[in-house]
Amino acid sequence: METTTGGGPRDRRAGLGRYGEELAVRYLRERGMEVVERNWRCEHGEVDVVALDAGCLVVCEVKTRSGTGFGEPVEAVTVAKALRLRRLAAAYVRERGGHEGPLRIDVVGVLCRPGSPAEVRHVVGVGS
């Protein structure tokens, strides 16, 4: 049975997700991207990271896993999820306004195997 308090599985997954998101943001910044917003929400869902990459608005999904038993982290973004991210990106631009340049969807996968350094994989332009 899953719990929501006391360090149960759900708490551990949420902690792993936050850690992965922190690593992803650091990775994107180290590559010259400007992170403009995190965890943006609307009625259609949530965008993990919104960034600018040389004038291109990037909506970035972060997937963090502790193993590959269910595939690599980036493989968790299905075609349906990529389409949903495109709808969320359009909603973000409508709500925030002001961006008239290119837009792309990226996925950052973070693999945190116990006892090993985290591995970051960045897939640029998902569903383009």
Side-chain angles (χ1 to χ4, degrees), residues 29-48:
R29 285 181 174 146
E30 287 172 355
R31 275 138 192 87
M33 295 174 74
E34 176 190 352
V35 174
V36 295
E37 195 152 358
R38 293 177 62 178
N39 305 114
W40 177 80
R41 297 174 197 269
C42 71
E43 64 189 53
H44 305 293
E46 178 181 351
V47 173
D48 294 327

Side-chain angles (χ1 to χ4, degrees), residues 9 11 27 46-47 49-50 52 61-62 68 70 74-75 87 90 92 106 109:
D11 286 344
Y27 171 91
E46 178 181 351
V47 173
V49 178
V50 180
L52 288 171
E61 176 75 2
V62 179
T68 57
F70 294 102
V74 295
E75 293 173 355
R87 287 191 299 273
Y92 180 86
D106 288 4

Side-chain angles (χ1 to χ4, degrees), residues 72-83:
E72 294 289 326
V74 295
E75 293 173 355
V77 178
T78 62
V79 171
K81 177 67 173 180
L83 290 172

